[in-house]
Amino acid sequence: MTSALPNIAHTVSVGLGLRSYDILIGNGLLAHVPDLIQPLLKRQKVVIVTDHGVAAHHLPVLKDACEKAGLETHTVDMPSGEGSKSFSMLEALLDNLIALDVDRSDLILALGGGVVGDITGFAASILRRGCRFVQIPTTLLAQVDSSVGGKTAVNAKAGKNLIGAFHQPSMVIADIETLDTLPPRQLRAGYAEVVKYGLIDDPAFFNWLAENGQALLEGDQALRAEAVRHSCAAKARIVEEDETETGRRALLNLGHTFGHAFEAATGYSDKLFHGEAVALGMGLAHDYCAENGLCPASDAATVRHHLQAVGLPATVSDLNNLSGLETDAQFLMEAIAQDKKVSGGKLTFILTKGLGKAYIAKDVDPAPVQAFLTRHLAAAT
Ligand code: GLY
């Protein structure tokens, strides 16, 4: 049962001048979306964009609520999965939105995980030179990362997220209850992005997660809401400082350089979810730093142990257990180079001086990184 009033546990504001917005976090918010978005509506019309998997669980509640509130409500859906984040799906989505006569006074609601949020945000950014949209993230990864901060994109043949725009949502509504329908593996994958905020610059949050992470993953709603709040506040601070990633925002890529390379090695498939790749990448980044005398070995071990304790991969051996991966260091280095993280023969990497002391290193020599990967791949076989 939902209460008569929306049960907003936390509100986090993202301060970006005219593009500022609130992130509303709470339980059972889906049924209250019409009340929450009412101040944004210029005419009483919304289009919900979602995917088939999310639609099965969450569309009826949102759609009924919108219809009962007297909103003209339309739905556009797409197949679930990364394959939908394509140029052809973007075209189909735009054609649908145009056929529904969506214009700049309407509101597009992106109901789903990162794929739905990213493609819908990008469609909104270019439809009639920019329409407004609201993110309603239904995965932990989307609630703590991809729905916040305005990065929108589709994938190109040459790589992930290569076509996109910065386009901030008008509101983010994170209904913690939607996490109840996530498969545990997907929830854990999203949790990696939560851990990331602790590892960037917030050791106290990492310690809180070390204590509460397991209970949160097992279903404690208050802990989930608090973890989402803390993560969104951390991301909001970074985005407010560096909206278009000319500097500090790159810290949010901690774990992503190694992670993307392993995602490429698994063909961006379900063998390795993005969040799992990030967990592995964070484990490896800490190990790399420890092995090169940049970070205490005990901190790298602490990170590894927490990730592994909650069932996330933190070493290449964990990955072998997970997906039967076969690759080599040369392939991974090429994937890193493809990721546009090489300039003048040097890599840009997010490295760390210890727990919660991540920094942007722009001049990393690829040779020791390749040697590190060769060693770790050999040790895992
Ligand atoms: N997901 C990284 C960022 O939003 O910058």
Side-chain angles (χ1 to χ4, degrees):
M1 283 283 285
T2 51
S3 58
L5 287 173
N7 185 12
I8 299 170
H10 308 288
T11 301
V12 175
S13 297
V14 185
L16 290 169
L18 289 176
R19 284 166 286 102
S20 298
Y21 54 94
D22 282 342
I23 304 164
L24 309 179
I25 301 158
N27 278 66
L29 297 188
L30 276 190
H32 296 286
V33 165
D35 298 332
L36 301 173
I37 63 173
Q38 196 51 236
L40 301 172
L41 290 174
K42 292 187 182 157
R43 60 174 169 171
Q44 300 297 305
K45 173 175 169 181
V46 291
V47 180
I48 304 167
V49 182
T50 190
D51 71 35
H52 298 155
V54 173
H57 290 296
H58 305 301
L59 183 60
V61 175
L62 178 60
K63 200 163 168 253
D64 287 359
C66 291
E67 283 167 354
K68 280 199 186 108
L71 303 182
E72 180 187 331
T73 306
H74 302 276
T75 303
V76 179
D77 60 7
M78 60 186 81
S80 307
E82 191 71 23
S84 280
K85 231 173 96 172
S86 67
F87 216 51
S88 55
M89 191 60 73
L90 175 71
E91 187 180 11
L93 172 56
L94 288 165
D95 283 342
N96 271 308
L97 293 171
I98 290 165
L100 291 168
D101 196 26
V102 174
D103 70 23
R104 294 169 75 165
S105 25
D106 299 322
L107 211 47
I108 303 167
L109 309 181
L111 174 72
V115 169
V116 166
D118 280 9
I119 190 172
T120 307
F122 186 39
S125 78
I126 53 177
L127 180 65
R128 302 189 200 278
R129 300 194 175 85
C131 290
R132 296 167 311 140
F133 78 116
V134 168
Q135 291 273 21
I136 309 181
T138 59
T139 65
L140 185 56
L141 188 139
Q143 292 188 353
V144 299
D145 182 35
S146 61
S147 71
V148 175
K151 275 192 181 175
T152 73
V154 293
N155 300 328
K157 285 198 190 78
K160 279 180 80 168
N161 294 333
L162 292 183
I163 308 158
F166 286 98
H167 185 56
Q168 300 293 342
S170 300
M171 183 179 276
V172 179
I173 300 172
D175 185 342
I176 299 299
E177 259 175 40
T178 61
L179 304 180
D180 292 347
T181 55
L182 279 185
R185 187 180 157 205
Q186 215 179 337
L187 190 71
R188 276 199 303 276
Y191 179 76
E193 299 277 7
V194 178
V195 174
K196 185 181 78 178
Y197 294 107
L199 297 180
I200 289 175
D201 64 357
D202 194 347
F205 185 50
F206 178 85
N207 292 335
W208 184 85
L209 291 170
E211 207 157 293
N212 297 296
Q214 194 60 48
L216 178 169
L217 286 166
E218 282 167 10
D220 186 306
Q221 302 286 317
L223 291 176
R224 286 181 177 183
E226 174 54 20
V228 172
R229 183 201 67 77
H230 200 103
S231 302
C232 288
K235 181 148 188 186
R237 276 196 300 276
I238 291 179
V239 169
E240 284 166 358
E241 210 177 301
D242 177 24
E243 185 180 4
T244 55
E245 199 172 310
T246 53
R248 190 171 157 70
R249 185 163 179 168
L251 288 171
L252 296 172
N253 296 331
L254 176 63
H256 284 59
T257 302
F258 284 130
H260 279 166
F262 281 92
E263 279 184 281
T266 46
Y268 300 100
S269 68
D270 282 359
K271 281 186 180 173
L272 184 66
F273 290 165
H274 174 68
E276 292 170 335
V278 169
L280 172 68
M282 294 191 300
L284 290 177
H286 282 77
D287 280 343
Y288 175 83
C289 291
E291 287 178 27
N292 286 277
L294 302 169
C295 134
S298 55
D299 284 6
T302 301
V303 171
R304 220 167 36 235
H305 292 155
H306 180 55
L307 294 171
Q308 290 171 335
V310 297
L312 282 165
T315 67
V316 183
S317 323
D318 299 337
L319 186 61
N320 278 337
N321 295 339
L322 185 78
S323 60
L325 176 85
E326 282 178 37
T327 188
D328 60 25
Q330 177 74 29
F331 176 93
L332 294 170
M333 291 309 288
E334 278 164 19
I336 287 172
Q338 277 248 327
D339 217 13
K340 307 264 180 301
K341 294 202 174 97
V342 180
S343 158
K346 299 285 188 184
L347 296 171
T348 296
F349 243 101
I350 310 306
L351 298 180
T352 186
K353 294 183 178 145
L355 208 63
K357 294 183 189 153
Y359 65 97
I360 304 165
K362 291 206 163 127
D363 54 354
V364 178
D365 188 355
V369 177
Q370 181 156 352
F372 167 84
L373 286 170
T374 305
R375 266 195 322 277
H376 280 250
L377 287 165
T381 49

